[in-house]
Amino acid sequence: MAELIIQSMTGPWRSFHTPEHIFEVGAGGAPVEVVAALFHDLVYAQVDSGIHVNLARYVAPYVRETDKGLVIDPMDDAPAQDLEMVMTLFGFARGQVLSPFAGLNEFLSALLAVRVLEGVLSKPVCAQIAACIEATVPFRGPQPDGKSCSQLLLERLKQANQNHALGLDDAACLDTILMGVRVANRDIGNFASEHPSEFLNNTWNLIPETNHDLVSTNTYTVKGYRISLQKMEGFLGFLQPAAVFRQFADEPSTEEHQRRLDLTLRNLEVARLYLRLKLVSITLLESLSLSLGEEVSLSSIMGKLPGKMDFPIQFENYLPHIANPYQARDRQEEIVMDLLETGRSAESVHDTRHSPVASYLVKSLGIPASMQLLDHARAYYAGKLSGDELLAQTDPQVVQGLRKAMVEVFERRAEMFRMV
């Protein structure tokens, strides 16, 4: 089991969902919670570009691949009882197309856990573990009838208990749901980080898991980096704290739950502003680089990136000095400007900690004016605005400062090339 877990959680694309994450999710939990933590992220199809072959042998008899995706379709000779129990807990049915954004990974991880633990733990305990894994399906609001995902899971667990004679009484069923709430809240615990920098560190570790070009090649393009930021900004842009953390039957306490919601709201607001300013700045660089082509590497413009073998010429060193830089208007702007200038608190394998271009943009234009460029940037992404038209909407002095820095980098590179 240890080998299976470590092989899966140390795949080439894993940068956040790693063995360290398992320990965070299981920390301080009851035995059922710890075992659920061990198995809850084994299958992560969109991160791993499929299912690890050593995991596939456990789940392959129950699903088939179609042009619509993976479908629950057990082979005739596949043991059905485990599948039926896990389907009941998830509210799934045979013939259902599994969505990677609506429980695919958790469903297959739970099914895998039940299959692997068969004969090691009793069926009722396996059901409890599978229920805790179901609880980790993230970012779910209440149903139209007002029922929470925890209430629905309790109802499904009671149904599975009846269908499969698990022998769990009402108290045990409720206790299972409370364990699931604790596992789920620890799974996304970084949203309630005490400092926004810690939250952004985890966010930056998530980005390369679904943007493989950032770690699979020696370099990546300006456009590729912009798209990775665009995806994350799109995800965080509409996320609400109530869909992140959950509470059920006083687990956790109302005071603790509200504390997490408040921190989550603060961290989301900081992250959104931070991401949007970085997005505007990288889009301006992309627009400037279009004269060289659409596949210009970011490192060729910015200089050396983490872990990359590049010339030690830094774009930021040639940006103009701003004599009267913009001053933050409130605490949120102060935090964001510090993050842009000084950097996040942890290193990243695919990006620098600080954001010199976004910092230059904010110092020059201020945050309100910089954010006004976001709508133009979105029009550029949609093909409604050309790169030149986007630059025309930007303060000419700012564009000139970026252009001069870019020219300086290329001229310095040319000088170094002539000296070889």
Side-chain angles (χ1 to χ4, degrees):
M1 289 185 202
E3 185 176 32
L4 197 68
I5 292 166
I6 295 300
Q7 283 180 339
S8 304
M9 301 291 285
T10 55
W13 314 123
R14 299 280 185 129
S15 54
F16 177 81
H17 295 94
T18 61
E20 288 75 14
H21 179 60
I22 290 176
F23 302 141
E24 293 170 355
V25 176
V32 165
E33 298 173 43
V34 173
V35 178
L38 288 171
F39 284 90
H40 84 288
D41 273 337
L42 286 200
V43 176
Y44 216 134
Q46 63 268 44
V47 171
D48 298 329
S49 297
I51 300 175
H52 194 287
V53 66
N54 290 342
L55 304 179
R57 62 193 179 104
Y58 291 99
V59 299
Y62 303 97
V63 293
R64 63 182 172 87
E65 192 168 356
T66 70
D67 56 353
K68 296 181 180 180
L70 289 179
V71 174
I72 301 174
D73 185 16
M75 298 169 62
D76 293 337
D77 58 347
Q81 191 175 16
D82 291 339
L83 175 66
E84 296 292 343
M85 183 180 73
V86 177
M87 281 197 303
T88 300
L89 292 171
F90 278 74
F92 290 174
R94 295 185 185 220
Q96 180 167 336
V97 178
L98 296 172
S99 167
F101 308 107
L104 178 153
N105 299 307
E106 293 82 2
F107 174 74
L108 294 181
S109 294
L111 181 59
L112 190 146
V114 171
R115 299 288 296 122
V116 171
L117 294 168
E118 184 178 13
V120 179
L121 297 176
S122 67
K123 186 68 70 178
V125 174
C126 286
Q128 290 180 302
I129 290 167
C132 286
I133 295 175
E134 193 281 342
T136 65
V137 177
F139 312 126
R140 292 179 285 177
Q143 297 293 302
D145 61 4
K147 287 183 179 179
S148 68
C149 58
S150 299
Q151 180 61 48
L152 287 174
L153 181 57
L154 179 58
E155 294 174 4
R156 292 171 187 158
L157 177 58
K158 289 182 176 180
Q159 186 64 54
N161 184 50
Q162 180 180 328
N163 293 350
H164 300 280
L166 299 176
L168 298 171
D169 59 22
D170 286 350
C173 288
L174 176 59
D175 189 48
T176 301
I177 304 308
L178 299 183
M179 288 192 289
V181 169
R182 289 193 288 270
V183 171
N185 284 339
R186 287 196 296 268
D187 191 24
I188 42 76
N190 69 92
F191 277 85
S193 297
E194 292 291 340
H195 195 281
S197 180
E198 297 170 7
F199 173 62
L200 283 171
N201 290 339
N202 286 293
T203 301
W204 244 247
N205 283 333
L206 278 170
I207 289 175
E209 287 198 337
T210 51
N211 297 275
H212 293 171
D213 286 348
L214 299 186
V215 290
S216 64
T217 58
N218 289 329
T219 188
Y220 47 87
T221 65
V222 180
K223 181 179 180 179
Y225 179 74
R226 183 262 294 173
I227 290 173
S228 71
L229 291 185
Q230 197 179 342
K231 289 179 184 177
M232 185 56 71
E233 189 275 330
F235 166 62
L236 294 180
F238 299 98
L239 191 60
Q240 296 300 315
V244 178
F245 286 101
R246 61 191 66 158
Q247 181 189 39
F248 188 72
D250 295 326
E251 176 56 52
S253 68
T254 298
E255 181 181 10
E256 175 60 20
H257 184 57
Q258 189 59 50
R259 186 188 73 85
R260 290 171 177 171
L261 294 181
D262 292 342
L263 286 170
T264 299
L265 178 61
R266 189 276 312 271
N267 289 337
L268 284 173
E269 288 176 343
V270 167
R272 286 166 186 155
L273 181 57
Y274 175 82
L275 277 165
R276 287 165 182 167
L277 291 169
K278 284 181 68 70
L279 197 52
V280 170
S281 66
I282 195 64
T283 305
L284 293 177
L285 285 187
E286 181 181 343
S287 299
L288 284 168
S289 70
L290 287 175
S291 60
L292 305 173
E294 292 190 358
E295 299 300 319
V296 179
S297 72
L298 184 59
S299 61
S300 68
I301 293 174
M302 297 302 297
K304 189 178 185 300
L305 292 174
K308 313 297 181 186
M309 295 300 293
D310 258 305
F311 294 108
I313 298 172
Q314 300 295 299
F315 182 92
E316 63 187 277
N317 295 335
Y318 306 109
L319 288 170
H321 172 71
I322 307 302
N324 296 299
Y326 174 80
Q327 299 298 311
R329 300 173 301 174
D330 52 38
R331 178 58 179 158
Q332 184 191 77
E333 289 191 353
E334 185 180 333
I335 292 171
V336 171
M337 289 179 67
D338 181 66
L339 286 167
L340 294 174
E341 177 72 17
T342 307
R344 302 179 302 276
S345 59
E347 296 288 351
S348 169
V349 296
H350 68 283
D351 196 10
T352 56
R353 291 168 57 177
H354 65 312
S355 307
V357 180
S359 183
Y360 164 71
L361 184 69
V362 168
K363 287 178 181 178
S364 302
L365 298 180
I367 287 179
S370 298
M371 290 298 291
Q372 287 177 5
L373 290 171
L374 185 62
D375 287 338
H376 298 304
R378 295 196 196 282
Y380 166 75
Y381 308 148
K384 298 177 181 178
L385 207 65
S386 70
D388 287 339
E389 288 170 330
L390 172 62
L391 294 173
Q393 299 291 334
T394 308
D395 184 280
Q397 285 190 322
V398 170
V399 174
Q400 186 63 15
L402 293 173
R403 183 177 281 114
K404 283 185 175 180
M406 190 177 294
V407 169
E408 191 71 31
V409 167
F410 282 114
E411 286 183 346
R412 294 298 180 99
R413 284 174 178 266
E415 289 176 11
M416 293 183 70
F417 183 71
R418 284 191 287 268
M419 293 171 61
V420 174

